[in-house]
Amino acid sequence: MQLGTRWAAGAEPPASVPAALRPGIADVEARGLDGHWTLTWLEGRPIAELDAGWEVLLSAAGELVTRPFQD
């Protein structure tokens, strides 16, 4: 895993956040959740995690996935 960056929910995501994740991030933020996002990279794929319990990622097939954290 490679750590990327952090930013506050509701703020403009940093330039390092891939464009492919931005629609999912906007969808989660539209729910009115507070917190901070963390961008990481796992097996070369970006994952944005909101500490309020959501993640936005690209699947192995390149599809955008937005979901609550899975325990």
Side-chain angles (χ1 to χ4, degrees), residues 4-27:
T5 190
R6 283 182 54 86
W7 71 99
E12 181 69 25
S16 60
V17 176
L21 293 186
R22 291 172 183 260
I25 291 169
D27 287 346

Side-chain angles (χ1 to χ4, degrees), residues 10-44:
E12 181 69 25
S16 60
V17 176
L21 293 186
R22 291 172 183 260
I25 291 169
D27 287 346
V28 171
E29 290 185 349
R31 298 170 188 269
L33 302 172
D34 291 326
H36 286 84
W37 290 98
T38 302
L39 175 67
T40 57
W41 298 83
L42 183 61
E43 297 178 359

Side-chain angles (χ1 to χ4, degrees), residues 16-25 37-49 54-67:
S16 60
V17 176
L21 293 186
R22 291 172 183 260
I25 291 169
W37 290 98
T38 302
L39 175 67
T40 57
W41 298 83
L42 183 61
E43 297 178 359
R45 294 192 313 265
I47 303 170
E49 297 180 344
W54 283 83
E55 62 185 0
V56 177
L57 56 100
L58 293 180
S59 70
E63 297 175 358
L64 182 63
V65 177
T66 302
R67 64 186 181 201

